[in-house]
Coordinates of all heavy atoms in Angstrom, one line a residue:
L287 N -6.7 -50.0 75.2 CA -8.0 -50.2 75.8 C -8.3 -51.6 76.1 O -8.9 -51.9 77.2 CB -9.1 -49.7 74.8 CG -9.1 -48.2 74.6 CD1 -10.1 -47.8 73.5 CD2 -9.5 -47.4 75.9
L288 N -7.8 -52.6 75.3 CA -8.1 -54.0 75.6 C -7.2 -54.5 76.7 O -7.5 -55.5 77.4 CB -7.8 -54.8 74.3 CG -8.8 -54.5 73.2 CD1 -8.5 -55.4 71.9 CD2 -10.3 -54.8 73.6
L289 N -6.0 -53.9 76.9 CA -5.2 -54.2 78.1 C -5.8 -53.8 79.4 O -5.7 -54.4 80.4 CB -3.8 -53.6 77.9 CG -2.9 -54.2 76.8 CD1 -1.6 -53.4 76.7 CD2 -2.6 -55.7 77.1
I290 N -6.6 -52.7 79.3 CA -7.3 -52.3 80.5 C -8.4 -53.2 80.8 O -8.7 -53.6 82.0 CB -7.9 -50.8 80.3 CG1 -6.7 -49.8 80.2 CG2 -8.8 -50.4 81.5 CD1 -7.2 -48.4 79.9
E291 N -9.2 -53.6 79.8 CA -10.3 -54.5 80.0 C -10.7 -55.2 78.6 O -10.8 -54.5 77.6 CB -11.5 -53.8 80.5 CG -12.7 -54.6 80.7 CD -13.9 -53.8 81.2 OE1 -13.8 -52.7 81.5 OE2 -15.0 -54.4 81.2
P292 N -10.8 -56.5 78.6 CA -11.2 -57.2 77.3 C -12.6 -56.7 77.0 O -13.5 -56.4 77.8 CB -11.2 -58.6 77.7 CG -10.3 -58.8 78.8 CD -10.4 -57.5 79.6
R293 N -12.9 -56.5 75.7 CA -14.1 -56.0 75.2 C -14.5 -56.6 73.9 O -13.7 -57.0 73.1 CB -14.1 -54.4 75.0 CG -13.8 -53.6 76.3 CD -13.7 -52.2 75.9 NE -13.6 -51.3 77.1 CZ -12.5 -51.0 77.8 NH1 -11.4 -51.5 77.4 NH2 -12.6 -50.2 78.8
H294 N -15.8 -56.6 73.6 CA -16.3 -57.0 72.3 C -16.3 -55.7 71.5 O -16.1 -54.6 72.0 CB -17.7 -57.6 72.3 CG -18.7 -56.9 73.0 ND1 -19.3 -55.8 72.5 CD2 -19.3 -57.0 74.3 CE1 -20.2 -55.3 73.3 NE2 -20.3 -56.0 74.4
G295 N -16.5 -55.8 70.2 CA -16.3 -54.7 69.2 C -17.2 -53.5 69.6 O -16.7 -52.4 69.6
Y296 N -18.5 -53.7 69.9 CA -19.4 -52.6 70.1 C -19.0 -51.9 71.4 O -19.0 -50.6 71.5 CB -20.8 -53.0 70.2 CG -21.8 -51.9 70.4 CD1 -22.0 -51.0 69.3 CD2 -22.4 -51.6 71.6 CE1 -22.9 -49.9 69.5 CE2 -23.2 -50.5 71.8 CZ -23.4 -49.7 70.7 OH -24.3 -48.6 70.9
A297 N -18.6 -52.6 72.4 CA -18.2 -52.0 73.7 C -16.9 -51.2 73.5 O -16.8 -50.1 74.1 CB -18.0 -53.1 74.8
L298 N -16.0 -51.7 72.7 CA -14.8 -51.0 72.4 C -15.1 -49.7 71.6 O -14.6 -48.6 71.9 CB -13.9 -51.8 71.5 CG -12.5 -51.3 71.1 CD1 -11.7 -51.0 72.4 CD2 -11.8 -52.2 70.2
F299 N -16.0 -49.8 70.7 CA -16.5 -48.6 69.9 C -17.1 -47.6 70.9 O -16.8 -46.4 70.8 CB -17.5 -49.0 68.8 CG -18.0 -47.8 68.0 CD1 -17.2 -47.2 67.1 CD2 -19.3 -47.4 68.3 CE1 -17.8 -46.1 66.3 CE2 -19.8 -46.3 67.6 CZ -19.0 -45.7 66.6
S300 N -17.9 -48.0 71.8 CA -18.6 -47.1 72.7 C -17.6 -46.4 73.6 O -17.7 -45.2 73.9 CB -19.6 -47.9 73.6 OG -20.6 -48.4 72.8
Q301 N -16.5 -47.2 74.0 CA -15.5 -46.6 74.9 C -14.7 -45.5 74.1 O -14.4 -44.5 74.7 CB -14.5 -47.7 75.3 CG -13.5 -47.2 76.4 CD -14.2 -47.0 77.8 OE1 -15.2 -47.7 78.1 NE2 -13.7 -46.1 78.5
I302 N -14.4 -45.8 72.9 CA -13.7 -44.8 72.1 C -14.6 -43.5 71.9 O -14.1 -42.4 72.0 CB -13.3 -45.4 70.7 CG1 -12.3 -46.5 70.9 CG2 -12.8 -44.3 69.7 CD1 -12.1 -47.3 69.6
Q303 N -15.8 -43.7 71.6 CA -16.7 -42.6 71.5 C -16.9 -41.8 72.8 O -17.0 -40.6 72.7 CB -18.1 -43.1 71.0 CG -18.2 -43.7 69.6 CD -17.9 -42.6 68.6 OE1 -16.8 -42.5 68.0 NE2 -18.9 -41.8 68.3
S304 N -16.8 -42.5 73.9 CA -17.0 -41.8 75.2 C -15.8 -41.1 75.6 O -15.8 -39.9 76.0 CB -17.4 -42.9 76.2 OG -17.3 -42.3 77.5
D305 N -14.6 -41.7 75.5 CA -13.4 -41.1 76.1 C -12.4 -40.5 75.0 O -11.7 -39.6 75.4 CB -12.6 -42.2 76.8 CG -13.3 -42.7 78.0 OD1 -14.4 -42.2 78.4 OD2 -12.8 -43.6 78.7
L306 N -12.5 -40.9 73.8 CA -11.4 -40.5 72.8 C -12.0 -39.9 71.6 O -11.3 -39.7 70.6 CB -10.5 -41.7 72.5 CG -9.7 -42.3 73.6 CD1 -9.1 -43.6 73.2 CD2 -8.6 -41.3 74.0
R307 N -13.3 -39.5 71.6 CA -13.9 -39.0 70.4 C -13.2 -37.7 69.9 O -13.3 -37.3 68.7 CB -15.4 -38.8 70.6 CG -15.8 -37.8 71.6 CD -17.3 -37.7 71.7 NE -17.7 -36.7 72.7 CZ -17.8 -36.9 74.0 NH1 -17.6 -38.1 74.5 NH2 -18.2 -36.0 74.8
D308 N -12.6 -36.9 70.8 CA -12.0 -35.7 70.5 C -10.7 -35.8 69.8 O -10.1 -34.9 69.2 CB -11.8 -34.8 71.7 CG -13.1 -34.4 72.3 OD1 -14.1 -34.1 71.6 OD2 -13.2 -34.3 73.6
V309 N -10.1 -37.0 69.8 CA -8.8 -37.2 69.2 C -8.8 -38.3 68.1 O -7.8 -38.5 67.4 CB -7.7 -37.6 70.3 CG1 -7.5 -36.4 71.2 CG2 -8.0 -38.9 71.0
W310 N -9.8 -39.2 68.1 CA -9.9 -40.2 67.1 C -11.3 -40.5 66.6 O -12.2 -40.8 67.4 CB -9.3 -41.5 67.6 CG -9.2 -42.6 66.6 CD1 -9.0 -42.5 65.3 CD2 -9.2 -44.0 66.8 NE1 -8.9 -43.7 64.6 CE2 -9.0 -44.7 65.6 CE3 -9.3 -44.8 68.0 CZ2 -9.0 -46.0 65.4 CZ3 -9.3 -46.2 67.9 CH2 -9.2 -46.8 66.6
H311 N -11.5 -40.2 65.3 CA -12.9 -40.5 64.8 C -12.8 -41.7 63.9 O -12.1 -41.8 62.9 CB -13.3 -39.3 63.9 CG -13.4 -38.0 64.7 ND1 -14.4 -37.6 65.5 CD2 -12.5 -37.0 64.7 CE1 -14.2 -36.4 66.0 NE2 -13.0 -36.0 65.6

């Protein structure tokens, strides 16, 4: 995810929740 775009912690968490919540909690 960080190679696609640098992010701060909360933005990274939001991206995981948006795109990958079905495979990683």
